[in-house]
Amino acid sequence: MNRNDVTEKIITVKVKKSITWADVARKVGESKEWVTAACLGQMTLTAEQAKVVGKIFGLDAEEQKWLQVVPYKGSLPTPVPTDPLIYRW
């Protein structure tokens, strides 16, 4: 199990259940953009937020812990760094 596995599960459940990021954001209490980034592995959720997201997407305790890990931005498998601070230098 790793963060990419959790992200794939979130996307799969989102599509299967027709969940919108706006619905998730309302339940988490943050902006749609922030919650989307967090669910896709580019932001860190608190334990409470991870629990809410876990309930929505059917994540177990281990998967919820992965949502609380600080991501290395720009770690996506692309040839150009995706972290704005890095690629603007």
Side-chain angles (χ1 to χ4, degrees):
M1 173 69 53
N2 62 43
R3 185 59 179 93
N4 291 333
D5 295 335
V6 176
T7 299
E8 289 298 321
K9 182 174 180 177
I10 287 172
I11 293 168
T12 300
V13 172
K14 179 186 179 298
V15 171
K16 282 183 181 178
K17 294 186 176 182
S18 299
I19 298 170
T20 67
W21 292 125
D23 291 338
V24 178
R26 272 192 293 281
K27 292 177 182 175
V28 172
E30 295 287 345
S31 73
K32 176 180 71 172
E33 295 76 15
W34 189 90
V35 169
T36 302
C39 289
L40 297 179
Q42 293 298 301
M43 303 297 274
T44 306
L45 294 169
T46 66
E48 270 187 40
Q49 292 168 330
K51 190 173 184 176
V52 172
V53 170
K55 185 175 181 180
I56 294 167
F57 293 106
L59 305 178
D60 63 28
E62 180 186 355
E63 293 166 330
Q64 290 175 32
K65 288 221 183 252
W66 279 107
L67 297 174
Q68 300 170 57
V69 173
V70 177
Y72 174 74
K73 294 186 180 182
S75 63
L76 299 175
T78 59
V80 178
T82 57
D83 186 341
L85 182 61
I86 293 172
Y87 73 73
R88 288 183 182 153
W89 280 6

